[in-house]
Amino acid sequence: MYEEYFGLKKKPFSIVPDPSYFYMSDVHKEALAHLLYGVKSDGGFVLLTGEVGTGKTTVCRRLLELVPEDTDVAFILNPKVTAEELLATICDEFGIKYPDGTSSVKVFVSLINDYLLDVHLRGRWAVLIIEEAQNLKPEVLEQVRLLTNLETNRHKLLQMIMLGQPELREMLLQPQLRQLSQRITARYHLGPLSKEELSAYVDYRLSVAGLIRGQLFPPAVLKKLYRLSGGVPRLINVICDRALLGAYVQGKEHVDSKTLTTAAREVLGREAARVQKRRMYQGAAGLVVLLCVSLGALYYAHYHTHQSISPATFDGQAAPAGKTAARTPVAKVRTASVKPATLEPPPGHTGPMTQEMAYQALFRQWNIEYNRQDRRTTICEQAKLQGLGCLKGRGSVTMLQQMNRPAVLKLIDNKGGEYYATLTELKEKTATFVVGDETRLVGAKQIAECWSGDYLLLWRAPKEYREELRPGYRGPMVPWLEKQLASIYRDKAPAVTGQAYNGDIVKQVKKFQLGTGMVPDGIVGPKTIIRLSAAAGSRDPVLYVSEGSN
């Protein structure tokens, strides 16, 4: 309806997972790399999770376009089935014939095994992809695990990819499913887009749809779109589609803030109202807490002031007649400073001020000194002078968890201004930041709402490290690498012959990279070294302590 009006060839924000609209954000690139590796790895079992609308299905559709020709794929869309029905569906997808009325698990598994052996003998690969895997019942998940037992003496016969919502990860933590969980060789969680990625995402889809002139979503509108959608691609699509329709009906050349808000209210409906009400209650609760703490502090001051002038000695005995007990000096009681659980910048602090204070807080985490007065030396140069490396980049919250190092993050306030804070602790539901000179405990979800995606962290390079390792490298870093892998995999890492980085040790590094959310290219640079050191239990500062760490 509005396509011709805005000069578009087709609708830019359809929620149908069209691969031509697939925008490759950093997190989507990593997710796709994991799936592609799972297709070709020996015995690969890849788990991809993400909230509703973050792009799991679109990534999967893109994967199907890139699957090599020597690969047979079984794609399960509706896993709300019994174990027998799942096996029958797998047979249907692979084109395996079975007698009518078959309901025996043993018969199905035997037929699938024969088929997979034939595929293997013909030099082909077989991949099973299960979407919405959080809907699988525990007994069906157990049957999925048993399928991974189909193998030759040297190779697994079936590569498996499961896609699901976050509750799938919780299901796999159940004791009865621990064997299945242990079979997973790579896990990746797909998060929402950052503010900058959202802008690029909208521009990309409009470009694919044929837009060649004008800016349909001005910068201020895109900032509001991020707040309304939370960076979730599906919500971005439905809000933008309705907003373009609204702008068309009103005869406007672009979407304005009011039109966007109306569109969001129409498509989100009660959910938006519920979120707004929850925020209102949270704000009221914060005021109540602040009031209670303030009253408590006043009571504390009043009570202790009267106690300090009581005519009694220290041991509680009455003072002799005619003498006055020595008064204990009354300490000034400072009312507790209650900081709201928010990442908003402290009043009166400019962006550059918060940046310098964030760098100082980061250096404190490493017990080294940052000289804020030194304008001639950059932060990375100051770190290098004290034996540390400096890594800058763009990433996701998942990546921060995997790197497990304190980091300075560039944040964006409600007005679009930039400021900086230091992330010092990251748990499943909470995060601790140093913002200016304040330490704040906030909900972990707030990171995605404020973070631009840019980070800076410090790391300690091994003394043998000079440059990134690529297959074929020879040098003193290889024994260090072997030691880290042996520590992580409990001495199951391959032995190194001489000091050559090749063969089995490269495979082990790729396995580690895949399991920690990296593209498994076998190149050992700063990001891989940081993850290896963290996983091996180095004494460097971390965001969280892993289970089993000393």
Side-chain angles (χ1 to χ4, degrees):
M1 184 179 293
Y2 58 72
E3 296 94 297
E4 184 178 353
Y5 178 79
F6 289 115
L8 302 170
K9 297 178 182 178
K10 54 183 178 178
K11 282 194 172 185
F13 297 106
S14 171
I15 61 173
V16 177
D18 183 349
S20 67
Y21 278 115
F22 182 47
Y23 171 70
M24 291 286 282
S25 71
D26 288 342
V27 292
H28 288 89
K29 287 178 183 176
E30 290 184 3
L32 183 59
H34 276 65
L35 298 187
L36 283 170
Y37 187 84
V39 168
K40 277 295 188 180
S41 64
D42 183 21
F45 193 155
V46 180
L47 177 68
L48 176 63
T49 56
E51 292 287 355
V52 174
T54 50
K56 300 184 298 295
T57 300
T58 304
V59 170
C60 196
R61 292 290 191 276
R62 179 62 174 161
L63 169 71
L64 294 177
E65 287 189 337
L66 300 175
V67 165
E69 293 183 359
D70 61 352
T71 305
D72 297 338
V73 179
F75 196 70
I76 310 297
L77 287 171
N78 179 23
K80 284 189 175 182
V81 292
T82 64
E84 294 81 6
E85 290 170 336
L86 175 68
L87 295 173
T89 305
I90 293 172
C91 287
D92 293 337
E93 286 291 310
F94 279 133
I96 303 171
K97 296 182 179 180
Y98 54 89
D100 292 339
T102 300
S103 60
S104 168
V105 169
K106 183 178 179 181
V107 171
F108 281 127
V109 171
S110 178
L111 290 170
I112 293 172
N113 188 52
D114 291 342
Y115 168 80
L116 294 176
L117 284 170
D118 179 64
V119 167
H120 176 68
L121 290 173
R122 289 186 285 119
R124 297 180 63 82
W125 300 78
V127 179
L128 172 62
I129 301 175
I130 303 178
E131 266 212 289
E132 302 296 341
Q134 77 279 353
N135 293 325
L136 291 172
K137 297 178 180 178
E139 58 269 23
V140 181
L141 282 169
E142 174 61 14
Q143 184 59 59
V144 170
R145 181 188 71 82
L146 293 174
L147 287 177
T148 65
N149 290 336
L150 302 178
E151 58 189 5
T152 65
N153 290 334
R154 299 185 61 183
H155 300 286
K156 295 286 185 182
L157 295 176
L158 183 63
Q159 321 305 314
M160 197 168 298
I161 297 172
M162 289 203 307
L163 294 80
Q165 295 173 24
E167 50 264 38
L168 177 59
R169 294 187 299 177
E170 298 174 8
M171 290 172 59
L172 293 172
L173 293 176
Q174 298 175 14
Q176 65 267 34
L177 295 176
R178 66 180 182 278
Q179 287 184 303
L180 173 61
S181 184
Q182 291 168 359
R183 298 286 177 93
I184 298 173
T185 56
R187 304 166 188 258
Y188 194 84
H189 185 71
L190 198 57
L193 301 176
S194 68
K195 287 186 178 181
E196 293 181 0
E197 287 173 334
L198 178 144
S199 178
Y201 173 84
V202 171
D203 288 344
Y204 176 78
R205 292 189 72 104
L206 288 170
S207 175
V208 172
L211 182 68
I212 57 175
R213 60 176 177 79
Q215 189 174 33
L216 299 186
F217 293 86
V221 174
L222 289 174
K223 290 175 184 175
K224 173 167 278 192
L225 175 61
Y226 182 81
R227 293 198 297 272
L228 292 169
S229 67
V232 176
R234 185 177 299 172
L235 291 181
I236 295 170
N237 289 349
V238 294
I239 293 173
C240 285
D241 181 67
R242 186 61 62 91
L244 286 174
L245 178 61
Y248 160 70
V249 171
Q250 299 173 71
K252 296 180 178 179
E253 294 184 357
H254 63 264
V255 175
D256 58 21
S257 180
K258 183 178 180 181
T259 302
L260 186 76
T261 302
T262 302
R265 188 182 302 117
E266 290 175 355
V267 299
L268 299 180
R270 293 181 180 178
E271 175 63 17
R274 185 182 65 81
V275 171
Q276 186 67 25
K277 184 179 290 186
R278 185 176 71 244
R279 288 177 177 171
M280 180 182 69
Y281 287 156
Q282 289 173 342
L287 289 174
V288 171
V289 171
L290 178 61
L291 178 61
C292 290
V293 172
S294 299
L295 290 174
L298 290 173
Y299 171 78
Y300 179 88
H302 175 77
Y303 174 78
H304 282 276
T305 299
H306 284 279
Q307 288 293 312
S308 65
I309 61 175
S310 175
T313 60
F314 181 76
D315 61 4
Q317 300 296 321
K323 293 186 179 181
T324 303
R327 292 188 178 183
T328 303
V330 180
K332 293 183 179 180
V333 179
R334 297 174 62 187
T335 303
S337 178
V338 180
K339 302 302 177 187
T342 174
L343 277 178
E344 285 299 309
H349 288 66
T350 64
M353 288 173 61
T354 61
Q355 186 177 37
E356 291 296 306
M357 297 174 81
Y359 290 162
Q360 194 169 37
L362 179 63
F363 273 51
R364 282 200 303 269
Q365 293 292 307
W366 288 83
N367 292 318
I368 59 176
E369 184 178 351
Y370 175 68
N371 185 359
R372 293 173 59 183
Q373 307 304 320
D374 186 354
R375 302 298 181 186
R376 294 177 298 177
T377 308
T378 66
I379 178 175
C380 291
E381 290 170 341
Q382 288 198 37
K384 186 176 181 180
L385 290 172
Q386 300 181 73
L388 296 177
C390 181
L391 181 65
K392 298 179 181 179
R394 287 182 54 78
S396 63
V397 176
T398 300
M399 184 223 67
L400 293 176
Q401 292 172 326
Q402 292 160 348
M403 301 278 270
N404 198 15
R405 290 289 182 265
V408 171
L409 307 186
K410 183 169 79 171
L411 308 175
I412 309 295
D413 63 24
N414 290 333
K415 297 180 180 179
E418 297 178 357
Y419 65 105
Y420 296 80
T422 304
L423 177 64
T424 60
E425 186 177 47
L426 183 59
K427 297 182 178 179
E428 183 178 358
K429 295 183 179 180
T430 61
T432 302
F433 278 87
V434 177
V435 186
D437 55 3
E438 305 166 0
T439 299
R440 301 182 186 178
L441 181 67
V442 304
K445 290 185 178 180
Q446 286 194 40
I447 301 176
E449 296 174 1
C450 304
W451 185 28
S452 69
D454 296 301
Y455 69 88
L456 180 147
L457 57 81
L458 303 180
W459 65 290
R460 193 186 308 278
K463 62 181 180 180
E464 301 88 353
Y465 182 73
R466 297 293 180 272
E467 59 184 356
E468 64 182 23
L469 282 68
R470 294 176 177 270
Y473 163 91
R474 290 180 177 273
M477 268 295 291
V478 178
W480 179 89
L481 190 57
E482 180 191 27
K483 182 179 178 181
Q484 305 306 306
L485 292 170
S487 175
I488 295 166
Y489 294 111
R490 300 294 186 266
D491 297 322
K492 292 182 181 179
V496 176
T497 303
Q499 292 189 332
Y501 177 51
N502 51 32
D504 288 341
I505 193 170
V506 174
K507 291 181 180 179
Q508 197 79 359
V509 168
K510 288 183 177 180
K511 176 183 176 182
F512 173 79
Q513 290 174 325
L514 184 66
T516 54
M518 300 182 67
V519 176
D521 54 14
I523 299 173
V524 181
K527 292 183 179 180
T528 299
I529 290 174
I530 292 170
R531 285 170 166 86
L532 282 168
S533 298
S538 72
R539 297 184 180 276
D540 293 334
V542 295
L543 294 175
Y544 61 90
V545 178
S546 303
E547 292 184 9
S549 299
N550 294 327

